[in-house]
Amino acid sequence: MRLVTVRIDGATRAGRLSGDEIVLLDAPDVRAVLEAGPVTTGGLPVAESGGTVAADGTDLAPVIPAPDKIICVGLNYRDHAAETNNPLPTAPIYFAKYRRALTGPYDPIRLPPPEVSTSADWEVELAVVVGREVRNAGPDEALGAIAGFTVLNDVSIRDWQTRTTQFLAGKTFEGSTPVGPALVTADKIGDGRGLNVSCTVDGVTKQSSNTDQLVFGPAELVADLSTIMTLDPGDIIATGTPSGVGHARNPQEALSPGAVVRTAIEGIGEMVNTCVVG
Amino acid sequence: MRLVTVRIDGATRAGRLSGDEIVLLDAPDVRAVLEAGPVTTGGLPVAESGGTVAADGTDLAPVIPAPDKIICVGLNYRDHAAETNNPLPTAPIYFAKYRRALTGPYDPIRLPPPEVSTSADWEVELAVVVGREVRNAGPDEALGAIAGFTVLNDVSIRDWQTRTTQFLAGKTFEGSTPVGPALVTADKIGDGRGLNVSCTVDGVTKQSSNTDQLVFGPAELVADLSTIMTLDPGDIIATGTPSGVGHARNPQEALSPGAVVRTAIEGIGEMVNTCVVG
């Protein structure tokens, strides 16, 4: 099943993709669907609301517009650790984003004005969406707590990311982080391993890898995080980016206004975002 | 004005301290009060709901139980930077906590079980509470966006904090972070400078400093953060801890089950929390 959050009539509404239509659901967004109960191959925990809209051209919000938590993982691809001259991590490297960072799968990526930074960079990532409350989980329970997967572009303002030892400042600029287009449920994707992941900028491939390169896989991350705190329905875990980011290139590259960024993951879909200032 | 969030009838309710009573307000918590409009010396943006409870013995929730953002600042006291052998930071060091970390001002501090960690540590902090949406603010606008101040104990699980380069994992253990007892509005506290700050464990003073030691003050932090993203009513900014933490002592000290931690800031109040496992 493929779930989306659409913008309609000045608000948001959850929907289920069905062919070339989106069947609207009786919930304001996908987080509310997951909070209502399990999404299974047999059905949804909320009713259909009676309306449909065309899938093509409908304005999509971030698939989870306001998660309780957005948890990101750093240096979690073998190829990305190598390109940044870092050893493979021995534990997952977690940092956060806030809700204000998120933007829709076809929305602009908002860049800071040039006097604040000119070092915006791309990072395509497989994002886990948590389906139910989970705490102190072993690997099997952790896998079962995953509702599904989506795409997240962890756009990073590199000079703010490295201004201090802590990444947060450069990772949570407002409107910088597209997420979507859809939550694809785990029954369609399995454990999130073995999926091709790519990012192009203005048609040039910058990142091309596979989630088999992940150091810590989705279920491992859920289990480890659940040792720290309860995970909640709709929580997003961005699992890290593969090699090919702009700041590891020689010469270094950055996103400029007008650049068109496409981020895609096999079996999930593609986001298309144009960079704008402000 | 002193605002609190009380637990009553299985839910929470905002209240205003008045002598030895709490006047209940028509809002579920202090965040909702701030979202309703400005709190001024002239009045509140929500009505009183007609009831009162005794201030003494009433069960208090975290003063903001579910902020949109909890932003913490590291190494922001001159004396704490010295004791940890760090240079003074040239920019604020930001990291995050999630809502699940918060607990009430007289609730237990939840420690991880010993097989997860035995390195819990205290960190008394002045916390800024944001009063209204603010973006790209200069110093004056930033100061005006501060609703007031409260106390936050940024309890830190040191081995998880230093497991990787990023502090988040050790800073967001569930139920580890008392916040309260009250939001004291800025008209009573000014800009947050010049306040005595202390932490005792089992009656022994561990931290005793003054917010004059802050490297980056409250208004500077609000202005800098507002360059990154919009701050929202009820957002909490924990401004960092002074010297005297357990892991910088020789020999190092940690919180054990049963330990009673008192954290106090002049003009705001005191929190009293007993450590428990789980």
Side-chain angles (χ1 to χ4, degrees):
Chain A
M1 201 173 301
R2 305 172 79 83
L3 299 174
V4 293
T5 298
V6 304
R7 296 187 181 114
I8 191 167
D9 299 335
T12 63
R13 183 77 74 83
R16 175 176 62 78
L17 277 159
S18 174
D20 55 4
E21 288 191 327
I22 297 168
V23 178
L24 297 176
L25 303 174
D26 194 13
D29 55 41
V30 172
R31 175 177 170 178
V33 173
L34 298 172
E35 287 176 333
V39 174
T40 67
T41 51
L44 283 161
V46 296
E48 298 179 0
S49 63
T52 62
V53 294
D56 195 25
T58 291
D59 190 11
L60 294 187
V63 62
I64 311 280
D68 186 59
K69 308 176 196 75
I70 308 165
I71 303 157
C72 301
V73 185
L75 295 173
N76 196 31
Y77 274 73
R78 297 174 201 284
D79 52 9
H80 181 54
E83 77 172 342
T84 54
N85 295 311
N86 282 287
L88 285 187
T90 55
I93 300 170
Y94 299 124
F95 56 91
K97 278 184 194 281
Y98 298 105
R99 167 189 67 87
R100 287 276 190 182
L102 299 183
T103 192
Y106 310 118
D107 288 347
I109 292 170
R110 292 172 65 179
L111 305 180
E115 67 273 20
V116 172
S117 177
T118 56
S119 69
D121 201 353
W122 53 85
E123 290 198 352
V124 61
E125 307 201 1
L126 175 72
V128 173
V129 178
V130 174
R132 57 178 170 77
E133 280 192 20
V134 59
R135 183 85 207 272
N136 293 322
D140 288 348
E141 186 186 352
L143 188 59
I146 295 173
F149 300 90
T150 191
V151 186
L152 185 144
N153 188 352
D154 180 20
V155 170
S156 302
I157 311 304
R158 295 296 181 198
D159 48 358
W160 285 69
Q161 180 186 341
T162 58
R163 190 174 73 152
T164 74
T165 60
Q166 302 300 302
F167 299 163
L168 175 65
K171 293 289 193 173
T172 197
F173 269 71
E174 185 140 334
S176 65
T177 305
V179 60
L183 165 63
V184 182
T185 51
D187 58 291
K188 300 285 187 196
I189 299 277
D191 65 358
R193 295 278 195 174
L195 306 176
N196 290 322
V197 174
S198 68
C199 175
T200 70
V201 179
D202 293 333
V204 178
T205 297
K206 300 295 185 182
Q207 297 185 279
S208 178
S209 187
N210 189 284
T211 58
D212 277 340
Q213 289 280 316
L214 283 169
V215 180
F216 301 100
E220 283 173 280
L221 294 170
V222 168
D224 186 61
L225 285 163
S226 78
T227 306
I228 300 171
M229 61 192 161
T230 305
L231 299 178
D232 291 278
D235 283 357
I236 291 176
I237 306 167
T239 61
T241 203
S243 65
V245 298
H247 82 124
R249 291 171 176 269
N250 188 1
Q252 292 187 336
E253 299 177 20
L255 292 169
S256 300
V260 177
V261 186
R262 290 173 180 265
T263 46
I265 298 182
E266 182 184 2
I268 300 175
E270 182 182 58
M271 302 195 292
V272 184
N273 305 93
T274 300
C275 296
V276 302
V277 168
Chain B
M1 201 174 299
R2 305 173 79 84
L3 299 174
V4 294
T5 299
V6 305
R7 296 188 180 113
I8 191 167
D9 299 335
T12 64
R13 183 77 75 83
R16 176 176 62 79
L17 277 159
S18 174
D20 55 3
E21 287 191 326
I22 297 168
V23 178
L24 298 176
L25 302 175
D26 194 13
D29 55 40
V30 173
R31 174 177 171 179
V33 174
L34 299 172
E35 287 176 334
V39 175
T40 68
T41 51
L44 283 162
V46 297
E48 297 180 0
S49 64
T52 62
V53 294
D56 195 26
T58 292
D59 190 9
L60 294 188
V63 62
I64 311 280
D68 185 60
K69 309 176 196 74
I70 307 165
I71 304 157
C72 301
V73 185
L75 295 173
N76 196 31
Y77 274 74
R78 297 173 200 284
D79 53 8
H80 182 53
E83 79 173 341
T84 55
N85 294 313
N86 282 287
L88 286 187
T90 55
I93 300 170
Y94 299 124
F95 56 92
K97 279 182 193 280
Y98 298 106
R99 168 189 65 88
R100 287 277 191 183
L102 299 183
T103 190
Y106 310 117
D107 288 347
I109 291 169
R110 292 171 65 179
L111 304 180
E115 66 273 19
V116 172
S117 177
T118 57
S119 69
D121 201 353
W122 53 84
E123 289 197 352
V124 61
E125 306 199 3
L126 175 72
V128 172
V129 178
V130 174
R132 58 178 170 76
E133 282 192 18
V134 59
R135 184 86 208 274
N136 293 322
D140 288 349
E141 186 185 352
L143 188 60
I146 295 174
F149 300 90
T150 192
V151 186
L152 184 144
N153 188 352
D154 180 20
V155 170
S156 303
I157 311 304
R158 297 294 183 199
D159 48 358
W160 285 68
Q161 180 186 340
T162 57
R163 191 174 72 150
T164 74
T165 60
Q166 301 300 301
F167 299 164
L168 176 65
K171 293 288 193 173
T172 198
F173 269 70
E174 186 140 333
S176 65
T177 304
V179 61
L183 165 62
V184 181
T185 50
D187 58 292
K188 301 284 188 197
I189 299 278
D191 65 359
R193 295 278 194 175
L195 306 175
N196 289 321
V197 174
S198 68
C199 174
T200 70
V201 180
D202 293 334
V204 178
T205 297
K206 300 295 185 182
Q207 297 184 280
S208 178
S209 187
N210 188 284
T211 58
D212 278 339
Q213 291 280 314
L214 284 169
V215 180
F216 301 101
E220 283 172 281
L221 295 170
V222 168
D224 186 62
L225 285 163
S226 79
T227 306
I228 300 171
M229 62 193 160
T230 304
L231 300 178
D232 290 278
D235 283 357
I236 291 175
I237 305 167
T239 60
T241 204
S243 64
V245 299
H247 83 125
R249 290 170 177 270
N250 187 3
Q252 292 187 334
E253 298 177 20
L255 292 168
S256 299
V260 177
V261 185
R262 292 174 180 264
T263 45
I265 298 182
E266 182 184 0
I268 300 176
E270 183 183 58
M271 302 195 291
V272 185
N273 306 91
T274 301
C275 296
V276 302
V277 169

